[in-house]
Amino acid sequence: MQGLVFWLVYPFLWLISIAPFWLFYKISDLIYFLVYHIIGYRSKTVSENLRLVFPEKSESEIKEIKKKFYRHMCDMFLEMIKSISISNKQLKSRFTFTNIEEIEKILKTNKSIVLICGHYASYEWVNALQLYGLDYKGYGVYKKIKNKYFDKMVKDIRGRFDGELITTIQATRTIEQNQEKGRLGVYAMIADQSPKISRAKYWTEFLGYQVPVFIGTEKLAKTTDMVVLYLHVVKLKRGFYEATFKPITYEPREEPDYMITNAFLTELEKQIRNEPEYYLWTHKRWKHRNTPIPNKAIIFKRD
């Protein structure tokens, strides 16, 4: 059944991916109309999240942010599909980096990098980093897709640009093996997910509410002594993004506990408050805000 679903859907994805950009974004407009106006995909969740985070905003302001968010979300989803066939030249021109020299500087220290980011702007085209001829291999840490055919498709897309997707379970072992063999890597990790309550061991404030957070990225950086950079992505205009590497720490083992996580959340919050339409509001990020905090949980304060 998984194969049947994939082969029924894939031809349409391929046709969308090879469409010229002017037509490509017309398709995105159509999908936006269906998703926002007809289906109302997770509309209630988005409105609730926006009202929670921005209680000072009027209903008209919330609605405007909501509309912009859905337009961006549809663009980003289709841009993932565009990766099936996008050329190196197009990718490099549409996802640019302001300070590639930061990566070159770290390369001289012979250290690998944790590239930490949130569900903000676009992370789909960060593959463009592989086109600069750096002596790093790029890895994306992700949650495996249940349909094995679609899972293979996204892995093949990353492979087109000499990158590789690894699951969260594979991440630690892959990094350790690479370090044993002297291979340097850039490991991109999205770190703003909401843990299940059974795994909610660490809590802190995020956008005004006490919620559980993952600190696995921080622990991994300290264990493996990798430089930690925040990927600050700005959407310049439709289909064009600009990324800046913001150092969080070059010496993770010397940092106090939770400093890395705090710095990451601070950078992400700044971006969300500045341009909220580019955050992924469809996730129930604050669903545990009123849940009793487990007795053995650790609560750490934000600076």
Side-chain angles (χ1 to χ4, degrees):
M1 180 59 72
Q2 288 187 352
L4 177 62
V5 171
F6 175 78
W7 288 112
L8 285 174
V9 173
Y10 184 76
F12 294 100
L13 300 182
W14 173 258
L15 288 173
I16 291 172
S17 78
I18 63 174
F21 276 100
W22 68 268
L23 178 58
F24 178 80
Y25 285 111
K26 292 292 183 183
I27 297 171
S28 182
D29 289 339
L30 175 60
I31 293 175
Y32 158 75
F33 180 81
L34 293 173
V35 169
Y36 181 74
H37 291 284
I38 305 301
I39 300 172
Y41 173 70
R42 295 198 175 183
S43 178
K44 183 179 179 181
T45 297
V46 173
S47 294
E48 288 177 350
N49 284 340
L50 288 171
R51 291 189 190 109
L52 276 174
V53 176
F54 301 106
E56 75 283 2
K57 293 189 182 296
S58 66
E59 279 302 307
S60 62
E61 289 174 312
I62 293 293
K63 187 175 181 179
E64 184 63 25
I65 295 171
K66 185 177 176 180
K67 283 183 176 180
K68 289 180 179 179
F69 158 68
Y70 274 97
R71 286 189 180 279
H72 169 69
M73 182 185 73
C74 293
D75 279 359
M76 190 172 65
F77 173 73
L78 261 70
E79 286 162 1
M80 176 184 67
I81 295 171
K82 190 69 175 176
S83 298
I84 295 173
S85 63
I86 194 171
S87 69
N88 289 2
K89 182 179 179 181
Q90 286 176 325
L91 180 60
K92 197 172 180 180
S93 68
R94 287 176 173 270
F95 198 100
T96 59
F97 299 91
T98 65
N99 58 339
I100 201 74
E101 65 275 5
E102 180 66 31
I103 304 295
E104 295 170 341
K105 180 179 73 175
I106 296 168
L107 179 60
K108 294 176 182 177
T109 69
N110 202 39
K111 281 191 173 187
S112 289
I113 299 170
V114 174
L115 195 57
I116 190 170
C117 58
H119 287 91
Y120 188 86
S122 177
Y123 35 85
E124 296 298 339
W125 285 349
V126 72
N127 293 328
L129 182 60
Q130 298 296 112
L131 303 178
Y132 284 82
L134 302 170
D135 290 333
Y136 277 108
K137 177 161 182 167
Y139 295 85
V141 180
Y142 83 118
K143 186 176 180 180
K144 190 172 183 178
I145 300 172
K146 291 182 180 179
N147 186 306
K148 64 180 181 181
Y149 296 94
F150 283 107
D151 189 70
K152 182 179 182 301
M153 183 188 77
V154 297
K155 286 183 177 179
D156 288 345
I157 290 172
R158 184 60 62 95
R160 288 187 59 220
F161 307 100
D162 195 32
E164 184 178 337
L165 287 178
I166 54 177
T167 64
T168 51
I169 296 173
Q170 297 171 318
T172 300
R173 184 58 186 151
T174 299
I175 295 169
E176 289 174 348
Q177 288 176 339
N178 284 342
Q179 289 190 333
E180 288 170 4
K181 296 176 182 178
R183 296 174 181 167
L184 297 177
V186 177
Y187 302 90
M189 302 181 183
I190 299 176
D192 61 334
Q193 301 94 329
S194 179
K196 294 180 180 179
I197 196 64
S198 60
R199 299 177 62 190
K201 298 179 181 179
Y202 301 91
W203 295 64
T204 195
E205 186 177 293
F206 180 55
L207 288 167
Y209 296 92
Q210 196 93 306
V211 292
V213 294
F214 283 117
I215 67 164
T217 303
E218 175 174 330
K219 287 184 175 180
L220 185 60
K222 287 191 171 188
T223 300
T224 56
D225 196 30
M226 292 190 292
V227 173
V228 183
L229 303 178
Y230 176 71
L231 185 67
H232 182 279
V233 183
V234 175
K235 188 170 186 176
L236 301 175
K237 59 181 179 178
R238 200 173 201 185
F240 289 88
Y241 302 88
E242 183 180 82
T244 300
F245 303 109
K246 290 196 169 186
I248 289 181
T249 179
Y250 297 106
E251 302 293 342
R253 289 174 175 170
E254 297 180 8
E255 303 295 350
D257 288 344
Y258 317 122
M259 172 272 177
I260 293 172
T261 303
N262 271 330
F264 158 64
L265 292 175
T266 297
E267 290 292 340
L268 181 58
E269 281 188 345
K270 288 178 184 176
Q271 288 201 272
I272 293 172
R273 292 197 180 280
N274 187 43
E275 293 184 293
E277 61 266 33
Y278 299 133
Y279 190 59
L280 192 62
W281 296 103
T282 48
H283 284 191
K284 294 182 178 181
R285 185 61 188 89
W286 294 272
K287 61 185 175 182
H288 298 311
R289 68 187 185 280
N290 295 321
T291 302
I293 299 176
N295 291 332
K296 295 183 178 180
I298 296 173
I299 304 171
F300 60 94
K301 293 183 178 180
R302 299 284 308 283
D303 297 331

